[in-house]
């Protein structure tokens, strides 16, 4: 069971809206959805929670690149919504690592290569298949300026979205869409 909501900061406080993520396929789609929630380019938080398995926070400030925090990358990787958040950049992967052409030696120097060069090519391919790490990934300071410290964010487990909303002073607002 998933819950996803948008919290947009306005002059009058936080405004919440329930959101459907069925049409969201990429992080860019999610960022666009968040920007639509705040025409004044204010801060918008996308809060996503899958029962007590994992939660994610995406912060969009105007046209800036979205900032992301995921509480458990391995759990999120098993979720279609989590996969949206777990970008190569967030996981510290080179997006080209998965390119099978990188494994091929097409430069015609195979006769003169040392064993060390061949080992490096193998490592690049192996890196593409690395497991997603267990535990948190992303920007743990994503909510620092809003009153939720890195330590507090990392300590959240059950009912994380509700606790975040309480810390922001938006719990009643969030409950209207829950």
């Amino acid at each position: 069971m998933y819950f996803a909501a948008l919290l947009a900061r306005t002059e009058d406080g936080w405004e919440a809206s329930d959101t459907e993520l069925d049409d969201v396929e990429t992080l860019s789609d999610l960022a666009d959805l968040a920007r639509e929630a705040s025409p004044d380019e204010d801060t918008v938080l996308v809060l996503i929670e899958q029962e007590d398995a994992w939660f994610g926070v995406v912060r969009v400030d105007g046209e800036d690149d979205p900032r992301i925090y995921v509480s458990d990358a391995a759990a999120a990787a098993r979720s279609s919504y989590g996969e949206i958040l777990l970008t190569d950049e967030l996981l510290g992967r080179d997006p080209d690592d998965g390119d099978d052409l990188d494994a091929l030696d097409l430069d015609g120097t195979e006769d003169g290569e040392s064993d060390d060069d061949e080992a490096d090519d193998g490592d690049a391919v192996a890196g593409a298949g690395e497991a997603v790490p267990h535990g948190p990934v992303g920007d743990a300071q994503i909510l620092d300026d809003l009153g939720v410290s890195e330590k507090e964010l990392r300590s959240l487990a059950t009912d994380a979205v509700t606790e975040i909303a309480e810390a922001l002073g938006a719990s009643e607002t969030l409950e209207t869409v829950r």
Side-chain angles (χ1 to χ4, degrees), residues 36-121:
E36 290 172 13
S38 179
D40 295 331
E41 296 189 5
D42 290 322
T43 297
V44 179
L45 301 176
V46 181
L47 304 173
I48 302 172
E49 183 175 55
Q50 180 187 4
E51 294 184 334
D52 292 330
W54 68 275
F55 70 92
V57 179
V58 178
R59 179 176 177 160
V60 178
D61 294 303
E63 292 300 318
D64 292 347
D65 288 340
R67 295 167 56 195
I68 307 164
Y69 175 81
V70 176
S71 66
D72 186 337
R78 294 186 295 270
S79 154
S80 59
Y81 297 137
E83 287 179 348
I84 294 169
L85 305 181
L86 297 175
T87 63
D88 287 334
E89 182 181 344
L90 186 71
L91 296 173
R93 295 181 182 159
D94 181 356
D96 295 331
D97 279 353
D99 189 350
D100 289 339
L101 292 177
D102 286 348
L104 298 176
D105 187 3
L106 300 176
D107 65 2
T109 61
E110 58 270 12
D111 293 335
E113 287 183 348
S114 71
D115 289 342
D116 292 339
D117 290 341
E118 289 173 16
D120 289 343
D121 289 344

Side-chain angles (χ1 to χ4, degrees), residues 164-176:
I164 290 169
E166 284 177 13
L168 299 175
S171 57
E172 289 180 21
T173 304
L174 184 67
E175 285 305 314
T176 63

